[in-house]
Amino acid sequence: MEAREAYEAARAGEALLVDIRYAALRERDGLIPGALVVERNELEWRLDPRGSHRAPEATGHDLRIVVICNEGYASSLAAASLHRLGLHRATDLVGGFQAWRSAGLPVTS
């Protein structure tokens, strides 16, 4: 999914943005307002709607999830992993956080 499309989907309440960047990158570059921050090594635990350690936002298998990493590589693998959990609408942000920022979309420090 492209950055502008992800922004509009999240703003309309149609998608959950999930930032999997590690802490040093988030501290260096900032955060996407409203994105759920989940470290990559916890992603499946936190987003599996049937899991005992799920995030409150993980409401069901039809949830549209947009995974965001730094440049769009790790997020592709993470989205594929979420598909294996049955989250069939999971996708990732093309170009990652860097594409989001380059598009002039909101970032907080």
Side-chain angles (χ1 to χ4, degrees):
M1 178 178 287
E2 298 291 333
R4 178 70 52 189
E5 182 184 3
Y7 171 74
E8 294 297 337
R11 205 171 88 169
E14 298 170 356
L16 174 65
L17 304 180
V18 180
D19 187 345
I20 63 168
R21 294 175 300 140
Y22 55 89
L25 288 176
R26 294 191 311 267
E27 291 169 10
R28 182 189 77 188
D29 294 337
L31 299 169
I32 296 173
L36 176 65
V37 174
V38 178
E39 295 283 338
R40 174 61 191 99
N41 62 336
E42 297 178 1
L43 187 68
E44 291 81 2
W45 291 100
R46 305 291 288 146
L47 293 182
D48 183 350
R50 295 173 299 196
S52 60
H53 293 88
R54 71 175 180 83
E57 294 87 350
T59 56
H61 287 95
D62 287 332
L63 182 63
R64 188 176 185 193
I65 297 169
V66 181
V67 183
I68 303 164
C69 67
N70 192 49
E71 295 180 339
Y73 300 106
S75 58
S76 296
L77 298 173
S81 179
L82 294 177
H83 274 254
R84 287 191 294 278
L85 289 178
L87 294 158
H88 62 95
R89 297 182 70 204
T91 189
D92 72 312
L93 183 65
V94 175
F97 178 86
Q98 298 307 321
W100 179 280
R101 185 169 58 184
S102 292
L105 296 170
V107 174
T108 61
S109 39

